[in-house]
Amino acid sequence: MVCDGHVFIAECVCIHVVSDPTMRGGVSTADHEGLDYDVAIIGAGITGLMTAYTLAEEGYRVGVFEAASGPGQGVTANQSEVIHVVQLPFGSVKSKLAREGNLMYDELCARLGVPFKRVSALLVVRSRLTLAPLLLGYLYLRLNLRGRFGVRITGSRGAFELEPRLSDKVKGAIVVDGYGVVDSKRLIAKLHEHLAGKVDFHFNCEVLSGKPQGPVFQLRTTRGDFACKCVVNAAGLYADEVAARLGLRVEPIKPGLGVMTEYGGLEVNSIIAPFSLIQRGRTKGGGIIPTMRGTVIFGPNLRLLERKSEAEPTDDDVRELESKFQPLLRVRGKLLRVYAGVRPLSPHGDFLLLEGYSGKLINLIGIESPGLTAAPALGRLVAQRVKSVLGVHQNSAVGEGLDRAGVGAVRGGVDSGVDGV
Ligand SMILES: Cc1cc2nc3c(=O)[nH]c(=O)nc-3n(C[C@H](O)[C@H](O)[C@H](O)COP(=O)(O)OP(=O)(O)OC[C@H]3O[C@@H](n4cnc5c(N)ncnc54)[C@H](O)[C@@H]3O)c2cc1C
């Protein structure tokens, strides 16, 4: 892979649009050419499903290939269900797609009948000494969220009015409006239900290999061979390995465990997180999060793993979460469960969209948090790339300020800015 400025181009391939006379106005002609599908999507997590949702709306013939026995059993199964606003750095692809995706959630959930509610996030401080950095953080967020999401700063009284269960040690907070919490299991189930009949789902069907042969892309799976025009690799934690199976070498995805603790008998109105002016490492820092189940989550934390398959929370993880979040509250809940998910950490700290074979293969690498939030916008962006590769040109904007391929990378590490949630 070579890096050309902010555009990453996979080995031996270039990003360009090919025109295909068989595709007109988004209406599939796949059936007439011995092709199984216009587009094969590998992975039925939230990213693959949202891509299928957009493409199916436009009349493309789509097949979704999933190694597990049903949808949403990968990274999407164990996460904290927050629809985010603040993701640093603000110029990254994941941050822009998250802000766009966030704004699409009300309509998406209303259409599918999925429980979703808007909440605010309180980034709190417990020392008067941190009130000056809090003010700086407030100005930074106001500047970057530019009127699309409400941001205000409040003292302890205002914070308690919003959140009566806050510890009386809290001295002030930045309040960011426009966050959301969603029942992600219902979202996956409803998306699957909505797409059944419009899209072919192949479960228990692992993609083993694939390559372009003339104008078609041949996929070999555990359930036979399939021919299509274009392949979207949305294999989550395994997207790097799937890319290799399809003949493209990409830098490895790093697994990062995120542990969460869930409590009953504890109600909060908002997402609550300790404010910090610096984001350390590869996490937004987690928070106290209300769920659509009426429970509250602490977390997630982040622990880098050697192997993708290790996913066991430890007592140390639980202690870390309790010592970080319990002091922000005046009440204690009853611990119901401890669970964990594995983040597909991007080799470059940002979502990577790597195209291969003249755009016949689109790899989505490192779709880490806030991938749930970004999914509607990422699905739309990928669908627009597919359409342009198949020769249908769209005029609509693809993400605020993303380059034409929507391909980008931002070096990871320590970002200066505001940490929380
Ligand atoms: C602890 C944690 C907390 C998080 N919290 C949030 C949050 O609050 N808000 C937010 O916006 N984001 C959050 N995220 C991020 C979000 O969960 C992910 O970005 C998102 O779920 C990724 O979805 P995906 O569809 O890309 O991947 P996945 O859900 O992993 O889907 C990929 C699918 O591909 C399948 N697959 C893999 N290999 C093959 C193959 N060879 N053949 C066929 N199928 C294959 C897998 O079985 C899997 O089902 C969190 C993540 C973690 C780990």
Side-chain angles (χ1 to χ4, degrees), residues 43 45-47 66-67 75-76 79-80 82 207 234 367-368 370-373:
I46 189 64
T47 308
E66 170 55 59
V75 181
T76 307
Q79 35 80 26
S80 41
V82 173
V207 172
I367 310 303
E368 54 185 83
L372 175 71
T373 310

Side-chain angles (χ1 to χ4, degrees), residues 185-199:
K185 296 262 187 287
R186 282 282 281 282
L187 175 60
I188 293 295
K190 289 287 186 178
L191 269 172
H192 182 212
E193 194 181 301
H194 175 87
L195 290 173
K198 300 188 175 92
V199 162

Side-chain angles (χ1 to χ4, degrees), residues 37-104:
Y37 300 109
D38 297 314
V39 188
I41 297 174
I42 306 171
I46 189 64
T47 308
L49 291 179
M50 284 311 307
T51 304
Y53 177 83
T54 316
L55 286 168
E57 293 278 297
E58 312 236 359
Y60 288 87
R61 186 149 159 64
V62 178
V64 176
F65 297 83
E66 170 55 59
S69 58
Q73 295 183 20
V75 181
T76 307
N78 289 307
Q79 35 80 26
S80 41
E81 304 186 296
V82 173
I83 302 309
H84 285 281
V85 175
V86 176
Q87 171 65 56
L88 300 178
F90 280 112
S92 59
V93 175
K94 64 184 177 184
S95 186
K96 289 174 180 177
L97 288 176
R99 293 198 298 283
E100 270 183 52
N102 175 312
L103 298 173
M104 296 164 79

